[in-house]
Amino acid sequence: MKKTYSRESFLKTTGTAVGAGFLAANPILTFAANRTGNEKMCLALVGTGVRGVAMYGRRLIQNYGEYVNMVGICDKNPGRLAYGAEYIQAPDARTYTDLDEMLSETQPDWLIITTWDWEHHNQILTGLKHGCNIICEKPITIDEEKAQLILDAEKEYGKEIIVTFNYRWPPHRARLKEILMSGVIGDITSVDFHWNLDHDHLKRYMQRWHGERERGGTLWVHKATHHFDMINWFLNSEPEMVFAQGALEQFGHNGPFQGDNCRNCAHTDECPYYWDITANDHLRQLYTENEHYDGYIRDNCVFRDQINIYDKHSAMVRYANGVHLNYSLAGQSDHSGYWLAFNGTKGRIEGQEGGWPSRDYQEWKLFVRDQEPEVIRAEFQDGGHWGGDPLMNDKLFRDPDMADPLNQAANARDGVMSILTGIAARKSCESGEPVFIRDLTSLRPRAQTHPNG
């Protein structure tokens, strides 16, 4: 039995207790009024990689120029900084290679951090010391020691830290959050979550610094931080214990040959992973023409010995509210997406996103005991990440006071809790033993994160 539900018809059908006031305040379908006054949000950016110059650079100025004023752009690579500043086109932004100098001279209210993962904690601490609030790309950092430094500094300086978990914001995932909050499947008991990276995406991680655990924390942290945060958010709870296994089977030392990088390799005709980065003008100007400044190579050999992360991941996570999560991350196909299912005391809801065939909508299949199965369809929306990026950025830059009944805005605790699952998984892979979240930082897992779910 297949049905396409509007929000109102679904809630009426399932008999949820969520009331009209909740719906009226929901920013997924109804935007709050723009903030009053003419004062712009004064911000600065550190990190001019692809995410920095695009999503938090050029598109930010184009789409939110009437709400924000970017006063500074910083990167320790002067060549990439020059190209990035020209690409962003922020009229009032001055450029710096030193973060302390930029913050002292420009005194922004907010610092946006889009640098290498292993440097996030340094920039967060520097920003806080200069009186800035922080907007940080995921992951917030890569290990528990750095996470504790961030937690301590947040407490000391009393500023706001926001982590940009745009995977919370697509409308079709907000619809699933509402369904779970409605109680239609009862209390959630277990979750099955299996994420597939397309193989080209996995290859890109191996070509870059992400392939080295001391820089990206492994994909347990860099990539899976998104996935673990989604589950934390859906469950309104936090992880308690992790047992995991992982392996490196396709890349690194497993390769049949090696080269310096794709541009300087004797095996370009036979290597299935050969990539000509110079064919992309943007990447060439951003990276290859400036690598002599800092030695950052973006088209490294995927079979180099320095790769020490995993390309196969599986974990069992126990939550403080008793829910069990079974999770895997792999990258063997040409398609990306995930399969996700929630089992409850009254039923089950499941769905597949991405994969094949491709669709412009999400279907959640609802199975309630003693009722006919139903299909709930939610259309994908325009904008990056299935419409999630515009909604998140509206909350960040257009109207920070916008109502947030689904608790989609993520703070420092959310950021740390998402990486602690990955850190625990990494440690469990190494030790062969379960790892308890309480042993990693001063945070103690909460059975319920937000009183209203």
Side-chain angles (χ1 to χ4, degrees), residues 207 259-268 274-279 283-284 287-292 295-301:
Q207 288 175 320
D260 292 337
N261 55 55
C262 281
R263 286 163 290 146
N264 299 288
C265 183
H267 306 285
T268 56
Y274 171 67
W275 174 47
D276 182 9
I277 189 175
T278 63
L283 296 180
R284 174 179 54 79
Y287 292 108
T288 61
E289 292 183 0
N290 298 304
E291 61 190 24
H292 61 282
Y296 174 37
I297 310 297
R298 205 168 189 271
D299 60 338
N300 281 301
C301 179

Coordinates of all heavy atoms in Angstrom, one line a residue, residues 207 259-268 274-279 283-284 287-292 295-301:
Q207 N 44.0 9.5 -1.8 CA 45.0 10.4 -2.5 C 45.4 11.6 -1.6 O 46.5 12.1 -1.8 CB 44.4 10.9 -3.8 CG 44.2 9.9 -4.9 CD 43.5 10.4 -6.1 OE1 42.6 11.2 -6.0 NE2 44.0 10.1 -7.3
G259 N 54.1 5.2 -7.0 CA 54.7 6.4 -7.7 C 54.7 7.5 -6.7 O 54.1 7.5 -5.6
D260 N 55.3 8.6 -7.1 CA 55.3 9.8 -6.2 C 54.0 10.4 -6.1 O 53.4 10.6 -5.0 CB 56.3 10.8 -6.7 CG 57.8 10.4 -6.6 OD1 58.0 9.5 -5.7 OD2 58.6 10.9 -7.3
N261 N 53.3 10.7 -7.2 CA 52.0 11.1 -7.3 C 51.5 10.9 -8.7 O 52.3 10.4 -9.6 CB 51.8 12.6 -6.9 CG 52.7 13.5 -7.6 OD1 52.6 13.5 -8.9 ND2 53.4 14.3 -6.9
C262 N 50.2 11.1 -9.0 CA 49.7 10.8 -10.3 C 50.4 11.5 -11.5 O 50.5 11.0 -12.6 CB 48.2 11.1 -10.4 SG 47.2 9.8 -9.6
R263 N 50.9 12.7 -11.2 CA 51.6 13.5 -12.2 C 53.1 13.0 -12.5 O 53.6 13.3 -13.5 CB 51.7 15.0 -11.9 CG 50.3 15.7 -12.0 CD 50.3 17.0 -11.3 NE 50.3 16.8 -9.8 CZ 50.9 17.6 -9.0 NH1 51.6 18.6 -9.4 NH2 50.9 17.3 -7.7
N264 N 53.6 12.3 -11.5 CA 55.0 11.8 -11.6 C 55.0 10.3 -11.3 O 55.4 9.9 -10.3 CB 55.9 12.6 -10.6 CG 55.9 14.0 -10.9 OD1 56.5 14.5 -11.8 ND2 55.2 14.8 -10.0
C265 N 54.5 9.5 -12.3 CA 54.3 8.1 -12.0 C 54.6 7.4 -13.3 O 54.1 7.8 -14.4 CB 53.0 7.8 -11.5 SG 52.7 6.0 -11.1
A266 N 55.3 6.3 -13.3 CA 55.6 5.4 -14.4 C 54.5 4.5 -14.8 O 54.5 3.7 -15.8 CB 56.9 4.7 -14.2
H267 N 53.4 4.5 -14.0 CA 52.3 3.5 -14.1 C 51.0 4.1 -14.5 O 49.9 3.4 -14.3 CB 52.2 2.7 -12.8 CG 53.4 2.1 -12.3 ND1 54.0 1.0 -12.9 CD2 54.3 2.5 -11.3 CE1 55.1 0.7 -12.2 NE2 55.3 1.6 -11.2
T268 N 51.0 5.2 -15.1 CA 49.7 5.9 -15.5 C 48.9 5.1 -16.4 O 47.6 5.2 -16.4 CB 50.0 7.3 -16.0 OG1 50.8 7.2 -17.2 CG2 50.7 8.2 -15.0
Y274 N 44.6 6.3 -11.8 CA 45.3 7.5 -12.3 C 44.3 8.6 -12.4 O 43.1 8.5 -12.9 CB 45.9 7.2 -13.7 CG 46.4 8.4 -14.4 CD1 47.5 9.1 -13.8 CD2 45.7 8.9 -15.5 CE1 47.9 10.3 -14.5 CE2 46.2 10.1 -16.1 CZ 47.3 10.8 -15.6 OH 47.7 11.9 -16.2
W275 N 44.7 9.8 -12.0 CA 43.8 11.0 -12.0 C 44.7 12.2 -12.4 O 45.7 12.5 -11.8 CB 43.2 11.2 -10.6 CG 42.4 12.5 -10.5 CD1 41.5 13.0 -11.4 CD2 42.5 13.5 -9.4 NE1 41.0 14.2 -10.9 CE2 41.6 14.5 -9.7 CE3 43.3 13.5 -8.3 CZ2 41.4 15.6 -8.9 CZ3 43.1 14.6 -7.4 CH2 42.2 15.6 -7.7
D276 N 44.3 12.9 -13.5 CA 45.0 14.1 -13.9 C 44.3 15.3 -13.3 O 43.4 15.9 -13.8 CB 44.9 14.2 -15.5 CG 45.7 15.4 -16.0 OD1 46.4 16.0 -15.2 OD2 45.6 15.7 -17.2
I277 N 44.9 15.8 -12.2 CA 44.3 16.9 -11.4 C 44.5 18.2 -12.2 O 43.6 19.1 -12.1 CB 45.1 17.1 -10.1 CG1 44.3 18.1 -9.2 CG2 46.5 17.4 -10.2 CD1 44.9 18.2 -7.8
T278 N 45.4 18.3 -13.1 CA 45.7 19.5 -13.9 C 44.6 19.7 -14.9 O 44.5 20.8 -15.5 CB 47.0 19.5 -14.6 OG1 47.1 18.4 -15.5 CG2 48.2 19.3 -13.6
A279 N 43.7 18.7 -15.2 CA 42.6 18.9 -16.1 C 41.5 19.8 -15.6 O 40.7 20.3 -16.3 CB 42.1 17.5 -16.6
L283 N 41.1 23.2 -9.4 CA 42.0 22.5 -8.6 C 43.4 22.7 -8.9 O 44.3 22.8 -8.0 CB 41.7 21.0 -8.7 CG 40.3 20.5 -8.2 CD1 40.1 19.0 -8.3 CD2 40.0 20.9 -6.7
R284 N 43.7 22.9 -10.1 CA 45.1 23.2 -10.5 C 45.6 24.5 -9.9 O 46.6 24.6 -9.3 CB 45.2 23.3 -12.0 CG 46.6 23.7 -12.5 CD 46.7 23.7 -14.0 NE 45.6 24.5 -14.6 CZ 45.6 25.8 -14.7 NH1 46.6 26.5 -14.2 NH2 44.6 26.5 -15.3
Y287 N 45.5 24.2 -5.9 CA 46.4 23.2 -5.2 C 47.8 23.1 -5.9 O 48.8 23.4 -5.4 CB 45.8 21.9 -5.1 CG 44.6 21.9 -4.1 CD1 43.3 21.8 -4.6 CD2 44.8 22.0 -2.7 CE1 42.2 21.8 -3.7 CE2 43.8 22.0 -1.9 CZ 42.5 21.9 -2.3 OH 41.4 22.0 -1.4
T288 N 47.8 22.5 -7.1 CA 49.1 22.1 -7.7 C 50.0 23.3 -8.0 O 51.2 23.2 -7.8 CB 48.9 21.4 -9.0 OG1 48.2 22.2 -10.0 CG2 48.1 20.1 -8.8
E289 N 49.5 24.5 -8.3 CA 50.3 25.7 -8.5 C 50.8 26.3 -7.2 O 51.7 27.1 -7.3 CB 49.5 26.7 -9.3 CG 49.2 26.3 -10.7 CD 48.5 27.4 -11.5 OE1 48.3 28.5 -11.0 OE2 48.2 27.1 -12.7
N290 N 50.3 25.8 -6.1 CA 50.8 26.3 -4.8 C 51.3 25.3 -3.8 O 51.6 25.6 -2.7 CB 49.6 27.0 -4.1 CG 49.0 28.2 -5.0 OD1 49.7 29.1 -5.3 ND2 47.7 28.1 -5.3
E291 N 51.6 24.1 -4.3 CA 52.0 23.0 -3.4 C 53.5 23.3 -3.0 O 53.9 22.7 -2.0 CB 51.9 21.7 -4.1 CG 52.7 21.5 -5.3 CD 52.3 20.2 -6.1 OE1 51.2 19.7 -5.9 OE2 53.1 19.7 -6.9
H292 N 54.2 24.1 -3.7 CA 55.6 24.4 -3.4 C 55.7 25.2 -2.1 O 56.8 25.2 -1.4 CB 56.4 25.1 -4.5 CG 55.8 26.4 -4.9 ND1 54.7 26.5 -5.6 CD2 56.2 27.7 -4.6 CE1 54.4 27.8 -5.8 NE2 55.3 28.5 -5.2
G295 N 54.0 22.0 0.6 CA 54.2 20.5 0.3 C 53.0 19.7 0.3 O 53.0 18.5 0.3
Y296 N 51.8 20.4 0.2 CA 50.5 19.7 0.2 C 50.3 19.1 -1.2 O 50.0 19.9 -2.1 CB 49.4 20.5 0.7 CG 48.0 19.9 0.6 CD1 47.9 18.5 0.8 CD2 46.9 20.6 0.3 CE1 46.6 17.9 0.7 CE2 45.6 20.0 0.2 CZ 45.5 18.6 0.4 OH 44.3 18.0 0.3
I297 N 50.3 17.8 -1.3 CA 50.0 17.2 -2.6 C 48.6 16.6 -2.6 O 48.3 15.8 -1.7 CB 51.1 16.0 -2.9 CG1 52.5 16.6 -2.7 CG2 50.8 15.5 -4.3 CD1 52.9 17.7 -3.7
R298 N 47.8 16.9 -3.5 CA 46.4 16.4 -3.5 C 46.2 15.2 -4.4 O 45.1 14.6 -4.3 CB 45.5 17.6 -4.0 CG 44.1 17.4 -3.4 CD 43.3 18.7 -3.6 NE 42.0 18.6 -3.0 CZ 40.9 18.1 -3.5 NH1 40.9 17.6 -4.7 NH2 39.8 18.1 -2.8
D299 N 47.2 14.8 -5.2 CA 47.0 13.6 -6.1 C 48.1 12.6 -5.7 O 48.7 12.1 -6.6 CB 47.0 14.0 -7.5 CG 48.3 14.7 -8.0 OD1 49.0 15.2 -7.1 OD2 48.6 14.6 -9.2
N300 N 48.2 12.3 -4.4 CA 49.2 11.3 -4.0 C 48.8 9.9 -4.5 O 47.7 9.7 -4.9 CB 49.2 11.3 -2.5 CG 50.0 12.4 -1.9 OD1 51.2 12.5 -2.1 ND2 49.4 13.2 -1.0
C301 N 49.8 9.1 -4.5 CA 49.6 7.7 -4.9 C 48.7 7.0 -3.9 O 49.0 7.0 -2.6 CB 51.0 7.0 -5.0 SG 50.8 5.2 -5.4

